[in-house]
Amino acid sequence: MATLLKGKEVAEALKQKLTVEVENLKQKGITPGLSIVIVGDRADSAAYIKGAVKRCTEIGIDCRVEELPGDMSQKDFIDDLHRLNNDPAVNGILIMRPLPSQISENAVKYEISPEKDVDCMSPVNVSKIMSGEDGGFAPCTPSAVMEILHHYGIEPEGKRVVVIGRSMVVGRPLSMMLLKEHATITVCHTKTRDLAEETRRAEILVAAAGKARMVKKDMVSKDAIVIDVGINFDEDGKMCGDVDFDEVNPVAGMITPVPGGVGAVTSTILAKHVIEACKVSSLKTMKFMCPKY
Amino acid sequence: MATLLKGKEVAEALKQKLTVEVENLKQKGITPGLSIVIVGDRADSAAYIKGAVKRCTEIGIDCRVEELPGDMSQKDFIDDLHRLNNDPAVNGILIMRPLPSQISENAVKYEISPEKDVDCMSPVNVSKIMSGEDGGFAPCTPSAVMEILHHYGIEPEGKRVVVIGRSMVVGRPLSMMLLKEHATITVCHTKTRDLAEETRRAEILVAAAGKARMVKKDMVSKDAIVIDVGINFDEDGKMCGDVDFDEVNPVAGMITPVPGGVGAVTSTILAKHVIEACKVSSLKTMKFMCPKY
């Protein structure tokens, strides 16, 4: 059986580190602040928001949820966003997606302050991730994958890494992040001709296809490290990943379960990004007040 | 012997199409304009600029070269750039790189108007290329690679494409562009463990490593399509690509020569981007003057 890569363990270790960082900031009179913005009733976001608020609050972040009316205009939404951009108590802004149809995500992404954009909506952050520049915010999910690899001492450098999926929330940014850490990356997707042939070559296989239990044992080579990003519900309503865990577990060397894998780390990554944003912002303030700082 | 993919043929076909487009624009009283900005004496840029001006002028683009003093301050440079951003006669701006050390490319890229940024310096364009959005400008070299593939009817969809090199001017954006056209892409680089094993799997192999004749025959599978992006000079001062042409030619199915391959297409791509920028800009002007347009 494969070694379990436990998201909860990764999240706990990161949480402890972050809690100390927030304590240090608070001793300087600084409290990191996160604003989660939700437009209209979105039952599907409720569980995520609840978890994120709980986790960020535990770490010491000042967390607010802005519930905005579902029928508000794009202009009003952007005005609200500008208010958050300019609010010094807010270091991170997380906009729950999808937005209602009258508000264009494509317009909004140019309006969120890149410095507060902790989930990589702004083109400035997308560009930083693509170019491998430091200082940008990647989306929380691919950052959670990297955190798991780092926590367990898994070094992507020189390894053959295969990513299934090419979305802007996981596949594409994760490929660029793995490339930055010197992996040889292959990106597969629905148009890949022989998917199993590609995935069997992977030393690290990341499944981010959004298709329940699609990765079967014949797609995984012996001792491969399997990271499952999928969150799906099967016909019985049971949560499952993109990997057929029972089949793949005996073949893989290491594997993340679902639930309890990548998904268990994302809200702690959100906290990490907020704290990073806060540190950059407070450094800027100090430089402004005391140019020699 | 492999079929030669001739850059000149691709460039000529594109030139004819673009010349007609410019004629149509001119009949409406619109002339596309390009400004090439060069700071200080850069002998290495002279040949490229000369070629670009010649090609763009032949196509009917109004081409100016702005030669700025090599010791100018960053502030003065950015002021000049803003002037070009606001000049309605300038549709495309090409800033020759590298810039002198007192001017930070990292600062400049946020200042160039994304609508006029015909060589993908702006994070807005980088982000569009990464996300596969329409309407952005990719850097001219990877666009030239795509143009060659399209001209010769080579369909990336479903194919295994291996790119050697992960630079921001070729490897990374090209990978994303090929992904948009549904290729299964692998990105290799100096840290790739067994490069030959990876490249032998390629149905399309793109060499963008910047290392003279590094792709040998044992790295190429029979009948592969080989695109050579390299422009190097060997110990005898002879121009050569990243591919050892004489060795690989008998193995490959199709191959681009150097010179006369990708490099022969880039300046025509520059013209294409300027014309696209001009069309978008004139459409905006018309919409502004006549909202019903």
Side-chain angles (χ1 to χ4, degrees), chain B residues 240-270:
Chain B
C240 68
D242 289 355
V243 177
D244 191 325
F245 187 87
D246 294 338
E247 266 202 17
V248 171
N249 189 19
V251 183
M254 296 177 169
I255 191 167
T256 61
V258 176
V262 177
V265 184
T266 48
S267 63
T268 315
I269 292 289
L270 175 64

PDB file of all heavy atoms in Angstrom, chain B residues 240-270:
ATOM      1  N   CYS B 240      23.951  29.021 -37.037  1.00  0.00           N
ATOM      2  CA  CYS B 240      23.346  27.681 -36.974  1.00  0.00           C
ATOM      3  C   CYS B 240      22.256  27.658 -35.909  1.00  0.00           C
ATOM      4  O   CYS B 240      22.160  28.569 -35.083  1.00  0.00           O
ATOM      5  CB  CYS B 240      24.406  26.620 -36.672  1.00  0.00           C
ATOM      6  SG  CYS B 240      25.096  26.747 -35.019  1.00  0.00           S
ATOM      7  N   GLY B 241      21.432  26.635 -35.976  1.00  0.00           N
ATOM      8  CA  GLY B 241      20.330  26.521 -35.025  1.00  0.00           C
ATOM      9  C   GLY B 241      20.697  25.684 -33.813  1.00  0.00           C
ATOM     10  O   GLY B 241      21.873  25.403 -33.563  1.00  0.00           O
ATOM     11  N   ASP B 242      19.665  25.309 -33.049  1.00  0.00           N
ATOM     12  CA  ASP B 242      19.862  24.408 -31.916  1.00  0.00           C
ATOM     13  C   ASP B 242      19.903  22.950 -32.381  1.00  0.00           C
ATOM     14  O   ASP B 242      20.197  22.050 -31.605  1.00  0.00           O
ATOM     15  CB  ASP B 242      18.709  24.550 -30.915  1.00  0.00           C
ATOM     16  CG  ASP B 242      18.764  25.872 -30.163  1.00  0.00           C
ATOM     17  OD1 ASP B 242      19.738  26.623 -30.342  1.00  0.00           O
ATOM     18  OD2 ASP B 242      17.817  26.144 -29.396  1.00  0.00           O
ATOM     19  N   VAL B 243      19.533  22.746 -33.658  1.00  0.00           N
ATOM     20  CA  VAL B 243      19.467  21.389 -34.196  1.00  0.00           C
ATOM     21  C   VAL B 243      20.685  21.159 -35.097  1.00  0.00           C
ATOM     22  O   VAL B 243      21.050  22.032 -35.882  1.00  0.00           O
ATOM     23  CB  VAL B 243      18.159  21.213 -35.016  1.00  0.00           C
ATOM     24  CG1 VAL B 243      18.106  19.824 -35.661  1.00  0.00           C
ATOM     25  CG2 VAL B 243      16.932  21.425 -34.117  1.00  0.00           C
ATOM     26  N   ASP B 244      21.291  20.014 -34.957  1.00  0.00           N
ATOM     27  CA  ASP B 244      22.368  19.632 -35.875  1.00  0.00           C
ATOM     28  C   ASP B 244      21.694  19.192 -37.179  1.00  0.00           C
ATOM     29  O   ASP B 244      21.338  18.029 -37.357  1.00  0.00           O
ATOM     30  CB  ASP B 244      23.191  18.500 -35.245  1.00  0.00           C
ATOM     31  CG  ASP B 244      24.465  18.250 -36.021  1.00  0.00           C
ATOM     32  OD1 ASP B 244      24.455  18.386 -37.270  1.00  0.00           O
ATOM     33  OD2 ASP B 244      25.478  17.921 -35.391  1.00  0.00           O
ATOM     34  N   PHE B 245      21.538  20.149 -38.071  1.00  0.00           N
ATOM     35  CA  PHE B 245      20.705  19.955 -39.265  1.00  0.00           C
ATOM     36  C   PHE B 245      21.177  18.760 -40.094  1.00  0.00           C
ATOM     37  O   PHE B 245      20.363  17.918 -40.499  1.00  0.00           O
ATOM     38  CB  PHE B 245      20.707  21.236 -40.112  1.00  0.00           C
ATOM     39  CG  PHE B 245      19.759  21.187 -41.275  1.00  0.00           C
ATOM     40  CD1 PHE B 245      18.432  21.564 -41.127  1.00  0.00           C
ATOM     41  CD2 PHE B 245      20.192  20.747 -42.527  1.00  0.00           C
ATOM     42  CE1 PHE B 245      17.552  21.511 -42.201  1.00  0.00           C
ATOM     43  CE2 PHE B 245      19.309  20.686 -43.595  1.00  0.00           C
ATOM     44  CZ  PHE B 245      17.995  21.066 -43.433  1.00  0.00           C
ATOM     45  N   ASP B 246      22.475  18.669 -40.337  1.00  0.00           N
ATOM     46  CA  ASP B 246      22.981  17.611 -41.215  1.00  0.00           C
ATOM     47  C   ASP B 246      22.703  16.226 -40.647  1.00  0.00           C
ATOM     48  O   ASP B 246      22.388  15.290 -41.384  1.00  0.00           O
ATOM     49  CB  ASP B 246      24.495  17.796 -41.451  1.00  0.00           C
ATOM     50  CG  ASP B 246      24.764  19.076 -42.240  1.00  0.00           C
ATOM     51  OD1 ASP B 246      23.836  19.552 -42.935  1.00  0.00           O
ATOM     52  OD2 ASP B 246      25.886  19.614 -42.145  1.00  0.00           O
ATOM     53  N   GLU B 247      22.805  16.120 -39.328  1.00  0.00           N
ATOM     54  CA  GLU B 247      22.526  14.823 -38.682  1.00  0.00           C
ATOM     55  C   GLU B 247      21.038  14.498 -38.653  1.00  0.00           C
ATOM     56  O   GLU B 247      20.631  13.364 -38.876  1.00  0.00           O
ATOM     57  CB  GLU B 247      23.018  14.868 -37.217  1.00  0.00           C
ATOM     58  CG  GLU B 247      24.403  14.341 -37.004  1.00  0.00           C
ATOM     59  CD  GLU B 247      24.619  13.910 -35.545  1.00  0.00           C
ATOM     60  OE1 GLU B 247      23.633  13.717 -34.807  1.00  0.00           O
ATOM     61  OE2 GLU B 247      25.792  13.757 -35.162  1.00  0.00           O
ATOM     62  N   VAL B 248      20.235  15.520 -38.363  1.00  0.00           N
ATOM     63  CA  VAL B 248      18.812  15.273 -38.102  1.00  0.00           C
ATOM     64  C   VAL B 248      17.995  15.202 -39.397  1.00  0.00           C
ATOM     65  O   VAL B 248      16.995  14.482 -39.476  1.00  0.00           O
ATOM     66  CB  VAL B 248      18.260  16.361 -37.138  1.00  0.00           C
ATOM     67  CG1 VAL B 248      16.744  16.284 -37.007  1.00  0.00           C
ATOM     68  CG2 VAL B 248      18.912  16.222 -35.762  1.00  0.00           C
ATOM     69  N   ASN B 249      18.430  15.913 -40.405  1.00  0.00           N
ATOM     70  CA  ASN B 249      17.705  15.980 -41.670  1.00  0.00           C
ATOM     71  C   ASN B 249      17.323  14.603 -42.237  1.00  0.00           C
ATOM     72  O   ASN B 249      16.177  14.402 -42.658  1.00  0.00           O
ATOM     73  CB  ASN B 249      18.542  16.801 -42.674  1.00  0.00           C
ATOM     74  CG  ASN B 249      17.785  17.112 -43.958  1.00  0.00           C
ATOM     75  OD1 ASN B 249      16.566  17.037 -43.996  1.00  0.00           O
ATOM     76  ND2 ASN B 249      18.514  17.463 -45.006  1.00  0.00           N
ATOM     77  N   PRO B 250      18.214  13.614 -42.230  1.00  0.00           N
ATOM     78  CA  PRO B 250      17.831  12.310 -42.783  1.00  0.00           C
ATOM     79  C   PRO B 250      16.807  11.549 -41.936  1.00  0.00           C
ATOM     80  O   PRO B 250      16.160  10.637 -42.436  1.00  0.00           O
ATOM     81  CB  PRO B 250      19.162  11.526 -42.813  1.00  0.00           C
ATOM     82  CG  PRO B 250      20.238  12.549 -42.640  1.00  0.00           C
ATOM     83  CD  PRO B 250      19.648  13.654 -41.853  1.00  0.00           C
ATOM     84  N   VAL B 251      16.670  11.920 -40.656  1.00  0.00           N
ATOM     85  CA  VAL B 251      15.769  11.193 -39.751  1.00  0.00           C
ATOM     86  C   VAL B 251      14.378  11.829 -39.729  1.00  0.00           C
ATOM     87  O   VAL B 251      13.354  11.140 -39.772  1.00  0.00           O
ATOM     88  CB  VAL B 251      16.338  11.187 -38.304  1.00  0.00           C
ATOM     89  CG1 VAL B 251      15.443  10.382 -37.378  1.00  0.00           C
ATOM     90  CG2 VAL B 251      17.761  10.685 -38.286  1.00  0.00           C
ATOM     91  N   ALA B 252      14.342  13.157 -39.662  1.00  0.00           N
ATOM     92  CA  ALA B 252      13.083  13.879 -39.466  1.00  0.00           C
ATOM     93  C   ALA B 252      12.168  13.763 -40.687  1.00  0.00           C
ATOM     94  O   ALA B 252      12.621  13.459 -41.801  1.00  0.00           O
ATOM     95  CB  ALA B 252      13.379  15.349 -39.181  1.00  0.00           C
ATOM     96  N   GLY B 253      10.870  13.993 -40.440  1.00  0.00           N
ATOM     97  CA  GLY B 253       9.913  14.031 -41.544  1.00  0.00           C
ATOM     98  C   GLY B 253       9.864  15.416 -42.163  1.00  0.00           C
ATOM     99  O   GLY B 253       9.746  15.575 -43.381  1.00  0.00           O
ATOM    100  N   MET B 254       9.912  16.424 -41.302  1.00  0.00           N
ATOM    101  CA  MET B 254       9.909  17.827 -41.728  1.00  0.00           C
ATOM    102  C   MET B 254      10.865  18.576 -40.821  1.00  0.00           C
ATOM    103  O   MET B 254      10.996  18.235 -39.641  1.00  0.00           O
ATOM    104  CB  MET B 254       8.508  18.438 -41.594  1.00  0.00           C
ATOM    105  CG  MET B 254       7.461  17.812 -42.482  1.00  0.00           C
ATOM    106  SD  MET B 254       5.850  18.587 -42.157  1.00  0.00           S
ATOM    107  CE  MET B 254       4.902  17.931 -43.536  1.00  0.00           C
ATOM    108  N   ILE B 255      11.478  19.635 -41.351  1.00  0.00           N
ATOM    109  CA  ILE B 255      12.446  20.379 -40.539  1.00  0.00           C
ATOM    110  C   ILE B 255      12.550  21.823 -41.028  1.00  0.00           C
ATOM    111  O   ILE B 255      12.422  22.082 -42.222  1.00  0.00           O
ATOM    112  CB  ILE B 255      13.825  19.653 -40.562  1.00  0.00           C
ATOM    113  CG1 ILE B 255      14.786  20.231 -39.516  1.00  0.00           C
ATOM    114  CG2 ILE B 255      14.460  19.707 -41.943  1.00  0.00           C
ATOM    115  CD1 ILE B 255      16.027  19.353 -39.286  1.00  0.00           C
ATOM    116  N   THR B 256      12.745  22.732 -40.081  1.00  0.00           N
ATOM    117  CA  THR B 256      13.013  24.125 -40.458  1.00  0.00           C
ATOM    118  C   THR B 256      14.526  24.326 -40.509  1.00  0.00           C
ATOM    119  O   THR B 256      15.233  23.921 -39.587  1.00  0.00           O
ATOM    120  CB  THR B 256      12.435  25.135 -39.441  1.00  0.00           C
ATOM    121  OG1 THR B 256      13.037  24.911 -38.162  1.00  0.00           O
ATOM    122  CG2 THR B 256      10.933  25.022 -39.312  1.00  0.00           C
ATOM    123  N   PRO B 257      15.042  24.956 -41.559  1.00  0.00           N
ATOM    124  CA  PRO B 257      16.475  25.249 -41.604  1.00  0.00           C
ATOM    125  C   PRO B 257      16.804  26.498 -40.787  1.00  0.00           C
ATOM    126  O   PRO B 257      15.909  27.249 -40.413  1.00  0.00           O
ATOM    127  CB  PRO B 257      16.716  25.523 -43.089  1.00  0.00           C
ATOM    128  CG  PRO B 257      15.415  26.089 -43.579  1.00  0.00           C
ATOM    129  CD  PRO B 257      14.326  25.454 -42.748  1.00  0.00           C
ATOM    130  N   VAL B 258      18.080  26.690 -40.488  1.00  0.00           N
ATOM    131  CA  VAL B 258      18.576  27.935 -39.878  1.00  0.00           C
ATOM    132  C   VAL B 258      19.837  28.325 -40.638  1.00  0.00           C
ATOM    133  O   VAL B 258      20.780  27.528 -40.686  1.00  0.00           O
ATOM    134  CB  VAL B 258      18.910  27.761 -38.388  1.00  0.00           C
ATOM    135  CG1 VAL B 258      19.521  29.059 -37.819  1.00  0.00           C
ATOM    136  CG2 VAL B 258      17.673  27.381 -37.585  1.00  0.00           C
ATOM    137  N   PRO B 259      19.891  29.491 -41.294  1.00  0.00           N
ATOM    138  CA  PRO B 259      18.815  30.482 -41.412  1.00  0.00           C
ATOM    139  C   PRO B 259      17.723  30.037 -42.395  1.00  0.00           C
ATOM    140  O   PRO B 259      17.870  29.021 -43.046  1.00  0.00           O
ATOM    141  CB  PRO B 259      19.570  31.701 -41.941  1.00  0.00           C
ATOM    142  CG  PRO B 259      20.752  31.159 -42.677  1.00  0.00           C
ATOM    143  CD  PRO B 259      21.125  29.889 -41.976  1.00  0.00           C
ATOM    144  N   GLY B 260      16.649  30.816 -42.448  1.00  0.00           N
ATOM    145  CA  GLY B 260      15.586  30.546 -43.409  1.00  0.00           C
ATOM    146  C   GLY B 260      14.402  29.810 -42.816  1.00  0.00           C
ATOM    147  O   GLY B 260      13.505  29.373 -43.539  1.00  0.00           O
ATOM    148  N   GLY B 261      14.393  29.678 -41.488  1.00  0.00           N
ATOM    149  CA  GLY B 261      13.281  28.990 -40.837  1.00  0.00           C
ATOM    150  C   GLY B 261      12.442  29.957 -40.015  1.00  0.00           C
ATOM    151  O   GLY B 261      11.892  30.916 -40.560  1.00  0.00           O
ATOM    152  N   VAL B 262      12.381  29.700 -38.711  1.00  0.00           N
ATOM    153  CA  VAL B 262      11.556  30.518 -37.810  1.00  0.00           C
ATOM    154  C   VAL B 262      11.955  31.998 -37.884  1.00  0.00           C
ATOM    155  O   VAL B 262      11.103  32.890 -37.954  1.00  0.00           O
ATOM    156  CB  VAL B 262      11.669  29.997 -36.358  1.00  0.00           C
ATOM    157  CG1 VAL B 262      10.880  30.880 -35.399  1.00  0.00           C
ATOM    158  CG2 VAL B 262      11.190  28.556 -36.277  1.00  0.00           C
ATOM    159  N   GLY B 263      13.259  32.243 -37.885  1.00  0.00           N
ATOM    160  CA  GLY B 263      13.767  33.618 -37.892  1.00  0.00           C
ATOM    161  C   GLY B 263      13.300  34.428 -39.088  1.00  0.00           C
ATOM    162  O   GLY B 263      13.191  35.660 -39.011  1.00  0.00           O
ATOM    163  N   ALA B 264      12.992  33.743 -40.183  1.00  0.00           N
ATOM    164  CA  ALA B 264      12.562  34.450 -41.389  1.00  0.00           C
ATOM    165  C   ALA B 264      11.105  34.896 -41.302  1.00  0.00           C
ATOM    166  O   ALA B 264      10.612  35.606 -42.179  1.00  0.00           O
ATOM    167  CB  ALA B 264      12.760  33.548 -42.615  1.00  0.00           C
ATOM    168  N   VAL B 265      10.421  34.465 -40.256  1.00  0.00           N
ATOM    169  CA  VAL B 265       8.985  34.747 -40.137  1.00  0.00           C
ATOM    170  C   VAL B 265       8.693  35.834 -39.100  1.00  0.00           C
ATOM    171  O   VAL B 265       7.670  36.521 -39.179  1.00  0.00           O
ATOM    172  CB  VAL B 265       8.206  33.445 -39.794  1.00  0.00           C
ATOM    173  CG1 VAL B 265       6.708  33.669 -39.757  1.00  0.00           C
ATOM    174  CG2 VAL B 265       8.542  32.340 -40.795  1.00  0.00           C
ATOM    175  N   THR B 266       9.586  36.031 -38.140  1.00  0.00           N
ATOM    176  CA  THR B 266       9.260  36.888 -36.981  1.00  0.00           C
ATOM    177  C   THR B 266       8.905  38.333 -37.359  1.00  0.00           C
ATOM    178  O   THR B 266       7.966  38.891 -36.792  1.00  0.00           O
ATOM    179  CB  THR B 266      10.405  36.904 -35.935  1.00  0.00           C
ATOM    180  OG1 THR B 266      11.639  37.139 -36.608  1.00  0.00           O
ATOM    181  CG2 THR B 266      10.479  35.602 -35.187  1.00  0.00           C
ATOM    182  N   SER B 267       9.620  38.934 -38.306  1.00  0.00           N
ATOM    183  CA  SER B 267       9.328  40.339 -38.600  1.00  0.00           C
ATOM    184  C   SER B 267       7.962  40.486 -39.293  1.00  0.00           C
ATOM    185  O   SER B 267       7.287  41.508 -39.146  1.00  0.00           O
ATOM    186  CB  SER B 267      10.440  40.975 -39.433  1.00  0.00           C
ATOM    187  OG  SER B 267      10.540  40.342 -40.681  1.00  0.00           O
ATOM    188  N   THR B 268       7.548  39.464 -40.024  1.00  0.00           N
ATOM    189  CA  THR B 268       6.213  39.507 -40.637  1.00  0.00           C
ATOM    190  C   THR B 268       5.134  39.317 -39.567  1.00  0.00           C
ATOM    191  O   THR B 268       4.042  39.898 -39.660  1.00  0.00           O
ATOM    192  CB  THR B 268       6.101  38.453 -41.753  1.00  0.00           C
ATOM    193  OG1 THR B 268       7.285  38.508 -42.551  1.00  0.00           O
ATOM    194  CG2 THR B 268       4.898  38.721 -42.647  1.00  0.00           C
ATOM    195  N   ILE B 269       5.451  38.526 -38.547  1.00  0.00           N
ATOM    196  CA  ILE B 269       4.540  38.386 -37.402  1.00  0.00           C
ATOM    197  C   ILE B 269       4.396  39.724 -36.683  1.00  0.00           C
ATOM    198  O   ILE B 269       3.286  40.118 -36.287  1.00  0.00           O
ATOM    199  CB  ILE B 269       5.064  37.315 -36.411  1.00  0.00           C
ATOM    200  CG1 ILE B 269       4.995  35.930 -37.033  1.00  0.00           C
ATOM    201  CG2 ILE B 269       4.311  37.383 -35.078  1.00  0.00           C
ATOM    202  CD1 ILE B 269       3.601  35.375 -37.203  1.00  0.00           C
ATOM    203  N   LEU B 270       5.509  40.430 -36.555  1.00  0.00           N
ATOM    204  CA  LEU B 270       5.459  41.762 -35.935  1.00  0.00           C
ATOM    205  C   LEU B 270       4.462  42.642 -36.701  1.00  0.00           C
ATOM    206  O   LEU B 270       3.591  43.285 -36.095  1.00  0.00           O
ATOM    207  CB  LEU B 270       6.864  42.384 -35.945  1.00  0.00           C
ATOM    208  CG  LEU B 270       6.989  43.814 -35.437  1.00  0.00           C
ATOM    209  CD1 LEU B 270       6.631  43.895 -33.956  1.00  0.00           C
ATOM    210  CD2 LEU B 270       8.412  44.353 -35.672  1.00  0.00           C
TER     211      LEU B 270
END
